[in-house]
Amino acid sequence: MIVIMEREATAAQIEKVAERLQAFGFQVHLSRGVERTVIGAIGDKTPEKIEQIEAMPGVERIVPILQPYKLAAKEFRPERTQVRVGNAVFGGDEVPVIAGPCAVESPEQILETARAVKAAGATVLRGGAFKPRTSPYSFQGLAEEGLKLLKEAGRATGLPVVTEVMNPRDIELVHEYADMFQIGARNMQNFSLLKEVGRARKPVLLKRGLSATVQEWLMAAEYILSAGNSQVVLCERGIRTFETETRNTLDLSAVAAVREHSHLPVIVDPSHGTGKWKYVLPMARAAVAAGADGLIVEVHPRPEQALSDGPQSLTPENFARMMEEVRAVATAVGRRV
Amino acid sequence: MIVIMEREATAAQIEKVAERLQAFGFQVHLSRGVERTVIGAIGDKTPEKIEQIEAMPGVERIVPILQPYKLAAKEFRPERTQVRVGNAVFGGDEVPVIAGPCAVESPEQILETARAVKAAGATVLRGGAFKPRTSPYSFQGLAEEGLKLLKEAGRATGLPVVTEVMNPRDIELVHEYADMFQIGARNMQNFSLLKEVGRARKPVLLKRGLSATVQEWLMAAEYILSAGNSQVVLCERGIRTFETETRNTLDLSAVAAVREHSHLPVIVDPSHGTGKWKYVLPMARAAVAAGADGLIVEVHPRPEQALSDGPQSLTPENFARMMEEVRAVATAVGRRV
Amino acid sequence: MIVIMEREATAAQIEKVAERLQAFGFQVHLSRGVERTVIGAIGDKTPEKIEQIEAMPGVERIVPILQPYKLAAKEFRPERTQVRVGNAVFGGDEVPVIAGPCAVESPEQILETARAVKAAGATVLRGGAFKPRTSPYSFQGLAEEGLKLLKEAGRATGLPVVTEVMNPRDIELVHEYADMFQIGARNMQNFSLLKEVGRARKPVLLKRGLSATVQEWLMAAEYILSAGNSQVVLCERGIRTFETETRNTLDLSAVAAVREHSHLPVIVDPSHGTGKWKYVLPMARAAVAAGADGLIVEVHPRPEQALSDGPQSLTPENFARMMEEVRAVATAVGRRV
Amino acid sequence: MIVIMEREATAAQIEKVAERLQAFGFQVHLSRGVERTVIGAIGDKTPEKIEQIEAMPGVERIVPILQPYKLAAKEFRPERTQVRVGNAVFGGDEVPVIAGPCAVESPEQILETARAVKAAGATVLRGGAFKPRTSPYSFQGLAEEGLKLLKEAGRATGLPVVTEVMNPRDIELVHEYADMFQIGARNMQNFSLLKEVGRARKPVLLKRGLSATVQEWLMAAEYILSAGNSQVVLCERGIRTFETETRNTLDLSAVAAVREHSHLPVIVDPSHGTGKWKYVLPMARAAVAAGADGLIVEVHPRPEQALSDGPQSLTPENFARMMEEVRAVATAVGRRV
């Protein structure tokens, strides 16, 4: 790391910082410019040490040289990680599509949806049983009953299933029914939850937080990886900005950034990313063109009767159309859906 | 609510929306403009119904008339709520100050800090035992040992204590030691946690999420209130914006907004709000001038040895100076610290 | 528009608002709910009248029904506008690519670049002569000399040229040399400039402001259209968010949004949108997949000697590769480059 | 500056970067860590050189050590700059208040307002003659007629006047009538305009752009200072964030930041910062408590008839109340209004 001293830093302050760095085991290089002294510190230390140096008198700021994630970094693992969920493989040439309703509502609804998305080419079924709703008065999901229905619909159609887990207390239960855990955007920095799914032996779909930088997102993945679970798939689902035309701002550059910095597969959720079903089609195409390793899309047989997220849900017909368009784009970029 | 139809909406689509609204129990008023038909729907229904209408063909958008929170609204309770923690009362004329280190590190550190902040006029002691850290390699807190030390320091100085709870599994444990639960910014929409502290009989300090609107924040409070716990104190601690000069952007207008819309007390955290101890003093003064019902400030006897947040921690000397300045401003606005 | 009255609004206040609306020529409908009175006002009035009503005692807020732009709206002109610049047509099946250096630096540099981009398939040449630089100490462009060199390079290669105009005083001068005006992101709400290019008879490339909503961007276009110039091409170039991995956050959903609301062509600038040449390729592909009507890309023969924006400039080789990839995606979505 | 090389950077690439830095006149220090080579470069060079190095193969990123502004920096001028406008002095112990309507509308309106704000203690009169309006159909201001009326009202009450200039072509005209130029938020990076007011010999009020960092704002001031005009007063007026409760998010920490980095006075505009007159009072108090060197506030005798910004305008009565409250806070922080 590099320690930039204040202009007014005294010789004694500079000395003290250098000494402390050495005591921490860093190799130290001083560089005195006309206006500032800069101290280079070689070594790889814990975040605490960095903050402690930053809080010393005379220090203006610290510039870290190395990224803070290790296991999630390309440098740790140059080849791309592949995560298998049923027959779907994330991180290879294939671009698997996860589809299903926002929430599991009834046996008929989830089965009908499962059949429709399977027919159109989806290879993983999604559906929420525990729903993180902004309002306590909104439908909160069917809980275990929803998990059962989801699993049955998956079994009936031969599709593996992914569903959100919100509470560490529910991990065991969800583990029984799901083929893949989903960590929602609002829980991306729920570190207790991350550690616990990190101890499970099951793939994890880690959505990006609404206001998380790419680096913080990779740090959240690092929590799971460092707990022993290497099967992490990242999911860009839009960030919060000033723009109100869309529910969130889908940041497709994040796909390129993740592929630049990490070996983990990254998929895109154009449903939450836009909040409007009309925009899901173009953004699904764009995601695949940008290099996404998969898609996750909300589909409901009757969006106007959905208990959540109807406005952004595709009908089965629109989903089938989306799959066709996405297939053409995948081919154009040398991949297949 | 108001339903704005698309320009191209057909008579049949308009009819269908009106019928469905009536079936849901709304009183319906149609208003046909030259370019748009607008349907007024009187009644107070669940969020699901709103989304279902929004997903109907021909509907452009929905404009809700009423705010989505009920128990948190001023309309529900016109007089301001007062929350008592030890001798501190939040929501009255007094402006209590909560102070202490980011994390409890050792018996000496927490006790020394407790004595210093008490001497300067703080009336509640803070200190983290479970720390939500961006990196899994950072100090994660002393857990139960930390809770014990915090409680002992509180007892030794006569200060009640507040500490963060991150995992629903830890609520019982934290309940034993703390006088007030803290829900951190990253958990503001951890709805499982909100529901569970809502069932506890202890005050809750609810920090605003990094990317939460004031309305979403009040909805998070609503989760706690609707679970039966009415002792909620809100805490503005900065939101995430493009500005990098400060760690977050402290949104003091949110204090005015909360006081306009809700009866709940609202305090300010200038330490996380700015991330730089030098800016804590002016922003603490500004918070009180804006009408904050309290402050929460990080203090460490030796910031350059803190295991977290050293750069934004005040020394006891600077904290004492802050208290003096804040006292003068409180008097100027008709309150007292 | 719809006027939502405060809960505490008195009968007299409601009456007064209704009267004033009628005096302004609105048709008025009152709807009294249990908690709020809502006044529907049919008619299309100036923005002043809306603000005046909003400022009346007892009014909580105003909800406009109609979008504020007229000439830029799809409703005004259902077929898509086509803007021709030389042989390039924006808004049709074709996806023209504008390419060239950030700044015109020398006769050799601009000519070499022009030849390279032309060879790879670009149909418009870009190059800055007046540069909006954050620092007064940065290279500010060659001014008229730059315009001359740009035009000569265009003539030598048969490419029309586009260049930025920053100062109303320079419009005449730029008019002489350029085939298309560019309004930069920082000037998107420079209304004096917009009005003056609106009076010119030449196509305008209107970049989106760093913090402009799609609606404000269309309002900026409205300034040009309402001054009599209908040849406007919009350009998404990234918005400012909290993410620092990229220079800006390229908002490709805005392409879908513009196509939903307006008849104007919309292109994408992946160079400024990402700030890193490595990310330009994937985002150029994504832009075309999302439905962009064109691209504008920075190309420099030797980025490491560029006087501005080197880090985000493609070499001619990378540009040629981009063109190939983009062509494949364009074909996949039924268009051609 | 510091050059951080990519992990995969070759010895030849490192060599080349070092050579080029030396050729540019930097003193160079190499520091080889286990994972990265870092090159320290001492010297103070133009921004172009920095970008050119950043674009070289093998370079990961550049970390500048020195801030990019010179004349605006505290290091250039340790004592605070005082800017005098009539009897008001910005940057001293006094906290002058600028007040008046958003737009000059009529002789009666501006004179009535001038008298009221003068009576309550304002020392500068504001009023717009050229208005930057989002919509081309909104009232655009009275132009020269407005300038005349403003000046007359100022003369009648003995108040100096400040008004916005939007177009370089209007500088001479505005110069005739105004005692201080205002550069609006939307023009903060209108560099042509900045350069031209920099050549004028009159104080400039420079509003912060909606999405400008503090550093970019100081760079905009640098444009004016480097053109020879040292009488710059900065004005924080809210930045654009995701929050919709307020029109903008007033960033009061920016006051502390400006005072930390620069010698220029900085004032606050709580009217645009919040967009709601009810929030103007608490935020005006907070601004002064935070250390603002002045306030600028919108006042209109009849907000519900204002041709712009009625909802955020104070009545003369509310303004008088604000002045009283602000006076008490100023005294508490050792200043006077």
Side-chain angles (χ1 to χ4, degrees):
Chain A
M1 71 180 175
I2 289 163
V3 184
I4 302 173
M5 301 298 296
E6 288 172 355
R7 196 182 194 238
E8 306 78 16
T10 62
Q13 287 173 335
I14 295 170
E15 183 69 7
K16 250 190 163 164
V17 170
E19 275 171 18
R20 188 124 184 253
L21 285 166
Q22 281 165 329
F24 281 161
F26 287 100
Q27 248 187 283
V28 170
H29 291 259
L30 248 81
S31 160
R32 290 180 207 274
V34 187
E35 306 199 33
R36 289 280 192 292
T37 292
V38 168
I39 310 177
I42 298 178
D44 185 9
K45 305 296 157 187
T46 62
E48 282 76 50
K49 303 233 188 306
I50 296 178
E51 277 196 355
Q52 291 182 359
I53 298 295
E54 195 177 346
M56 291 183 74
V59 173
E60 185 181 286
R61 64 195 158 106
I62 300 284
V63 180
I65 301 301
L66 304 176
Q67 74 281 47
Y69 44 89
K70 307 288 166 202
L71 308 176
K74 229 189 203 171
E75 305 186 352
F76 174 75
R77 187 184 151 92
E79 69 277 24
R80 304 201 71 214
T81 286
Q82 299 204 345
V83 177
R84 174 177 294 275
V85 181
N87 291 324
V89 179
F90 296 89
D93 284 345
E94 200 192 332
V95 182
V97 177
I98 305 174
C102 177
V104 177
E105 296 167 7
S106 70
E108 298 72 31
Q109 173 246 21
I110 185 67
L111 188 62
E112 183 180 350
T113 312
R115 286 193 176 130
V117 301
K118 160 97 179 191
T123 49
V124 183
L125 178 65
R126 62 154 290 156
F130 298 100
K131 300 299 309 169
R133 304 304 299 275
T134 307
S135 166
Y137 310 122
S138 288
F139 174 60
Q140 307 275 318
L142 296 180
E144 187 166 5
E145 179 59 22
L147 294 173
K148 275 188 198 155
L149 296 178
L150 179 67
K151 191 177 184 175
E152 277 165 26
R155 202 176 285 155
T157 50
L159 294 173
V161 301
V162 58
T163 197
E164 179 163 356
V165 60
M166 290 169 61
N167 192 333
R169 293 194 209 268
D170 298 328
I171 288 184
E172 255 182 85
L173 181 72
V174 173
H175 195 280
E176 260 179 67
Y177 293 99
D179 300 289
M180 184 182 213
F181 289 113
Q182 178 180 313
I183 302 289
R186 281 168 184 77
N187 280 317
M188 193 203 84
Q189 291 191 320
N190 181 338
F191 301 116
S192 312
L193 190 63
L194 295 177
K195 285 179 191 172
E196 299 206 24
V197 299
R199 288 194 285 269
R201 294 282 79 79
K202 205 159 252 189
V204 178
L205 183 64
L206 179 64
K207 292 204 152 188
R208 180 181 184 185
L210 276 79
S211 57
T213 61
V214 169
Q215 183 163 310
E216 288 167 338
W217 188 19
L218 290 171
M219 288 305 287
E222 189 83 7
Y223 262 93
I224 302 172
L225 298 172
S226 67
N229 186 345
S230 62
Q231 302 173 73
V232 176
V233 176
L234 299 165
C235 178
E236 160 65 31
R237 45 77 72 209
I239 56 174
R240 184 155 275 192
T241 70
F242 61 82
E243 178 60 76
T244 52
E245 169 70 25
T246 42
R247 182 169 170 184
N248 294 287
T249 296
L250 193 65
D251 177 16
L252 288 182
S253 308
V255 171
V258 166
R259 297 193 65 150
E260 175 73 12
H261 298 304
S262 178
H263 53 84
L264 295 171
V266 55
I267 72 170
V268 170
D269 174 350
S271 305
H272 286 88
T274 62
K276 294 187 177 171
W277 71 265
K278 275 190 193 173
Y279 298 172
V280 172
L281 272 78
M283 295 315 281
R285 296 191 311 252
V288 172
D293 294 310
L295 294 172
I296 178 166
V297 177
E298 290 190 347
V299 177
H300 195 286
R302 281 163 300 279
E304 75 279 9
Q305 291 173 20
L307 293 182
S308 66
D309 281 355
Q312 73 193 34
S313 297
L314 296 181
T315 57
E317 296 66 44
N318 282 327
F319 178 69
R321 202 182 124 204
M322 184 205 90
M323 288 299 285
E324 243 175 87
E325 294 182 5
V326 157
R327 232 170 247 129
V329 172
T331 306
V333 297
R335 301 179 83 170
R336 61 177 196 282
V337 172
Chain B
M1 69 180 172
I2 289 165
V3 184
I4 302 174
M5 302 298 296
E6 289 172 354
R7 196 186 195 236
E8 307 77 16
T10 62
Q13 287 174 334
I14 295 170
E15 182 71 3
K16 251 186 161 166
V17 170
E19 275 171 18
R20 191 123 183 252
L21 286 166
Q22 282 166 327
F24 281 162
F26 287 100
Q27 247 188 284
V28 170
H29 291 259
L30 247 83
S31 158
R32 290 179 207 276
V34 187
E35 305 200 35
R36 289 280 193 293
T37 291
V38 168
I39 310 178
I42 300 178
D44 186 8
K45 305 297 156 186
T46 62
E48 283 76 49
K49 303 233 187 308
I50 296 178
E51 277 197 354
Q52 291 183 358
I53 298 294
E54 196 179 345
M56 290 183 75
V59 173
E60 187 182 285
R61 64 195 158 103
I62 299 286
V63 179
I65 300 301
L66 305 177
Q67 74 280 46
Y69 44 90
K70 307 288 166 201
L71 307 177
K74 227 191 206 171
E75 306 187 349
F76 175 75
R77 189 184 149 91
E79 67 276 27
R80 303 202 72 213
T81 286
Q82 299 202 346
V83 177
R84 174 178 294 274
V85 182
N87 290 324
V89 178
F90 297 89
D93 283 346
E94 201 193 331
V95 182
V97 177
I98 305 173
C102 178
V104 178
E105 297 167 6
S106 71
E108 298 73 31
Q109 172 247 20
I110 186 68
L111 189 61
E112 183 179 350
T113 312
R115 286 189 177 133
V117 302
K118 161 101 181 189
T123 48
V124 183
L125 178 65
R126 63 154 291 157
F130 298 100
K131 300 298 310 169
R133 305 301 302 273
T134 307
S135 165
Y137 311 122
S138 289
F139 174 59
Q140 307 276 317
L142 296 180
E144 185 166 5
E145 179 60 18
L147 294 173
K148 276 186 199 155
L149 298 177
L150 179 66
K151 192 175 184 174
E152 279 163 25
R155 203 175 285 157
T157 50
L159 294 174
V161 301
V162 56
T163 197
E164 178 162 356
V165 59
M166 290 169 62
N167 192 332
R169 292 191 209 271
D170 298 329
I171 288 183
E172 256 180 84
L173 181 71
V174 174
H175 194 281
E176 261 178 66
Y177 294 98
D179 300 291
M180 185 184 211
F181 289 114
Q182 179 179 314
I183 302 290
R186 282 167 183 78
N187 280 317
M188 192 202 83
Q189 291 191 320
N190 181 339
F191 301 114
S192 311
L193 191 62
L194 295 178
K195 285 179 194 173
E196 301 206 23
V197 298
R199 288 193 286 268
R201 293 281 80 82
K202 207 159 250 192
V204 178
L205 183 63
L206 178 65
K207 291 202 152 188
R208 181 181 181 184
L210 278 79
S211 57
T213 60
V214 169
Q215 183 164 310
E216 288 167 339
W217 189 18
L218 290 173
M219 287 306 288
E222 188 83 9
Y223 261 93
I224 302 172
L225 298 174
S226 65
N229 187 344
S230 61
Q231 301 173 75
V232 175
V233 176
L234 299 166
C235 177
E236 162 64 33
R237 44 77 72 209
I239 56 174
R240 183 153 276 189
T241 71
F242 60 83
E243 178 59 77
T244 53
E245 170 69 27
T246 41
R247 184 171 170 183
N248 295 287
T249 296
L250 193 64
D251 177 16
L252 288 184
S253 307
V255 171
V258 166
R259 296 192 66 148
E260 174 73 12
H261 297 305
S262 178
H263 53 86
L264 296 171
V266 55
I267 72 170
V268 169
D269 174 349
S271 306
H272 286 89
T274 63
K276 295 186 175 170
W277 72 264
K278 274 190 195 173
Y279 298 172
V280 171
L281 273 76
M283 295 315 280
R285 295 191 312 254
V288 172
D293 295 308
L295 293 171
I296 178 166
V297 177
E298 290 190 347
V299 177
H300 194 285
R302 284 162 299 281
E304 73 281 8
Q305 290 173 22
L307 294 182
S308 65
D309 281 354
Q312 72 193 34
S313 296
L314 296 182
T315 57
E317 295 68 43
N318 281 326
F319 177 69
R321 200 181 125 208
M322 184 204 91
M323 288 299 285
E324 243 175 87
E325 294 183 5
V326 157
R327 232 170 246 129
V329 172
T331 307
V333 299
R335 302 180 81 170
R336 61 177 195 282
V337 172
Chain C
M1 70 179 172
I2 289 164
V3 183
I4 301 174
M5 301 299 295
E6 290 173 354
R7 197 184 193 237
E8 307 77 17
T10 61
Q13 287 174 335
I14 295 170
E15 181 71 3
K16 248 188 163 167
V17 170
E19 274 170 20
R20 191 125 182 252
L21 286 166
Q22 281 167 327
F24 281 162
F26 287 100
Q27 247 189 284
V28 171
H29 291 259
L30 248 83
S31 157
R32 289 179 207 274
V34 186
E35 305 200 33
R36 287 280 192 294
T37 292
V38 168
I39 310 178
I42 300 177
D44 186 10
K45 304 296 155 187
T46 61
E48 282 77 49
K49 303 234 188 304
I50 296 177
E51 278 196 353
Q52 292 183 357
I53 297 294
E54 196 179 345
M56 289 183 76
V59 173
E60 186 182 284
R61 63 195 157 105
I62 298 287
V63 180
I65 300 301
L66 305 177
Q67 74 282 47
Y69 44 90
K70 308 289 166 201
L71 307 177
K74 228 191 205 170
E75 307 188 349
F76 175 74
R77 188 184 150 93
E79 69 276 24
R80 304 202 69 215
T81 286
Q82 300 204 345
V83 176
R84 175 177 293 275
V85 181
N87 291 324
V89 178
F90 297 89
D93 285 344
E94 201 192 332
V95 182
V97 177
I98 305 174
C102 178
V104 177
E105 298 167 4
S106 71
E108 298 73 29
Q109 173 247 20
I110 186 65
L111 189 60
E112 184 180 349
T113 312
R115 285 191 177 131
V117 302
K118 160 100 182 190
T123 48
V124 183
L125 178 65
R126 63 155 288 156
F130 297 100
K131 300 299 308 170
R133 304 304 299 274
T134 307
S135 166
Y137 311 121
S138 289
F139 174 60
Q140 307 275 317
L142 297 179
E144 184 166 6
E145 179 59 19
L147 294 173
K148 275 186 197 155
L149 296 176
L150 179 68
K151 190 176 185 173
E152 278 164 26
R155 201 176 284 156
T157 51
L159 293 174
V161 301
V162 57
T163 198
E164 179 162 355
V165 60
M166 290 170 61
N167 191 334
R169 294 192 207 270
D170 298 328
I171 287 182
E172 254 181 85
L173 181 72
V174 175
H175 194 282
E176 259 180 68
Y177 293 100
D179 301 289
M180 186 183 212
F181 289 112
Q182 179 180 313
I183 302 290
R186 282 168 183 77
N187 280 317
M188 192 204 83
Q189 291 191 320
N190 181 338
F191 302 114
S192 310
L193 191 61
L194 295 177
K195 286 180 193 171
E196 299 206 24
V197 298
R199 288 194 284 268
R201 294 283 78 82
K202 205 159 253 192
V204 178
L205 183 63
L206 178 65
K207 292 204 153 189
R208 182 181 180 185
L210 277 79
S211 57
T213 61
V214 169
Q215 183 165 310
E216 288 168 339
W217 189 18
L218 290 173
M219 286 307 287
E222 189 83 8
Y223 261 93
I224 303 172
L225 298 173
S226 66
N229 187 345
S230 61
Q231 302 174 73
V232 175
V233 175
L234 300 165
C235 177
E236 161 64 34
R237 46 76 73 207
I239 56 174
R240 183 154 275 191
T241 70
F242 61 83
E243 178 60 79
T244 52
E245 169 70 26
T246 41
R247 183 170 172 184
N248 294 288
T249 296
L250 193 64
D251 178 16
L252 288 184
S253 308
V255 171
V258 166
R259 296 193 63 149
E260 175 72 12
H261 297 305
S262 178
H263 53 85
L264 295 172
V266 55
I267 73 170
V268 170
D269 174 350
S271 306
H272 287 88
T274 63
K276 295 185 177 172
W277 71 264
K278 275 190 192 172
Y279 297 173
V280 171
L281 271 77
M283 294 316 281
R285 296 191 311 253
V288 172
D293 295 309
L295 294 171
I296 178 165
V297 178
E298 289 190 349
V299 178
H300 194 286
R302 283 162 300 279
E304 74 280 7
Q305 290 174 21
L307 293 183
S308 66
D309 281 354
Q312 72 193 34
S313 296
L314 296 181
T315 57
E317 295 68 43
N318 281 327
F319 178 68
R321 200 181 124 207
M322 185 204 89
M323 288 299 284
E324 245 176 84
E325 294 183 5
V326 156
R327 231 170 246 129
V329 172
T331 307
V333 297
R335 301 179 83 169
R336 60 178 197 282
V337 172
Chain D
M1 70 180 173
I2 289 164
V3 184
I4 301 173
M5 301 297 296
E6 289 173 354
R7 196 183 194 237
E8 307 79 15
T10 63
Q13 286 173 337
I14 294 169
E15 182 70 4
K16 249 186 159 165
V17 170
E19 275 172 18
R20 189 122 183 255
L21 285 165
Q22 282 166 327
F24 281 161
F26 287 100
Q27 246 188 285
V28 170
H29 292 259
L30 248 81
S31 159
R32 289 180 208 275
V34 188
E35 306 199 35
R36 289 280 191 295
T37 292
V38 168
I39 310 176
I42 298 177
D44 186 9
K45 303 296 157 186
T46 62
E48 281 77 49
K49 303 236 188 303
I50 296 178
E51 278 196 353
Q52 291 182 359
I53 297 293
E54 196 178 346
M56 289 184 76
V59 173
E60 187 182 283
R61 64 197 158 103
I62 300 285
V63 180
I65 301 301
L66 305 177
Q67 74 281 48
Y69 44 88
K70 307 289 166 204
L71 307 177
K74 229 187 202 173
E75 307 186 350
F76 175 74
R77 189 185 150 92
E79 68 277 24
R80 305 202 69 213
T81 286
Q82 300 202 346
V83 177
R84 175 177 292 276
V85 181
N87 291 324
V89 178
F90 297 88
D93 285 343
E94 198 193 335
V95 182
V97 178
I98 305 173
C102 177
V104 177
E105 297 168 6
S106 71
E108 297 74 30
Q109 172 247 19
I110 186 67
L111 188 60
E112 182 179 351
T113 312
R115 286 190 176 132
V117 300
K118 161 99 180 193
T123 49
V124 183
L125 177 66
R126 61 154 289 158
F130 298 99
K131 299 300 308 170
R133 305 303 300 274
T134 308
S135 164
Y137 310 121
S138 289
F139 173 61
Q140 308 276 317
L142 296 180
E144 185 166 5
E145 179 60 18
L147 295 173
K148 275 187 199 156
L149 296 177
L150 179 67
K151 190 173 185 178
E152 279 164 25
R155 201 175 287 155
T157 51
L159 294 173
V161 301
V162 56
T163 197
E164 179 163 356
V165 60
M166 293 169 60
N167 192 334
R169 294 193 208 268
D170 298 328
I171 288 183
E172 255 181 86
L173 181 71
V174 174
H175 196 281
E176 260 178 68
Y177 294 99
D179 300 289
M180 184 184 213
F181 289 113
Q182 178 180 315
I183 302 288
R186 284 168 182 77
N187 279 318
M188 191 204 85
Q189 291 192 318
N190 181 339
F191 301 115
S192 312
L193 189 62
L194 295 177
K195 286 179 192 171
E196 300 205 24
V197 298
R199 287 194 285 269
R201 294 283 78 79
K202 204 159 254 191
V204 178
L205 182 64
L206 178 64
K207 292 205 151 187
R208 180 181 184 186
L210 276 78
S211 57
T213 61
V214 169
Q215 183 164 308
E216 288 167 339
W217 188 20
L218 289 172
M219 287 306 288
E222 189 83 8
Y223 261 94
I224 302 172
L225 299 172
S226 67
N229 186 345
S230 60
Q231 301 174 74
V232 175
V233 175
L234 299 166
C235 178
E236 160 65 31
R237 45 78 72 207
I239 56 174
R240 183 155 276 190
T241 70
F242 61 82
E243 178 60 76
T244 52
E245 169 69 27
T246 40
R247 182 171 171 181
N248 295 287
T249 296
L250 192 66
D251 178 16
L252 288 184
S253 307
V255 171
V258 166
R259 297 192 65 149
E260 175 72 14
H261 299 304
S262 179
H263 53 85
L264 295 172
V266 54
I267 72 168
V268 170
D269 174 351
S271 307
H272 286 88
T274 62
K276 294 185 178 172
W277 71 264
K278 275 190 192 173
Y279 298 174
V280 171
L281 272 78
M283 297 313 283
R285 296 192 310 254
V288 172
D293 294 309
L295 294 171
I296 179 166
V297 177
E298 290 189 348
V299 178
H300 195 285
R302 283 163 298 280
E304 74 280 8
Q305 290 174 20
L307 294 182
S308 65
D309 282 354
Q312 73 191 34
S313 295
L314 295 181
T315 57
E317 294 69 42
N318 282 326
F319 178 68
R321 201 181 124 206
M322 185 204 90
M323 289 299 284
E324 244 176 87
E325 295 183 2
V326 156
R327 233 171 245 126
V329 173
T331 307
V333 298
R335 300 180 83 171
R336 61 177 196 283
V337 172

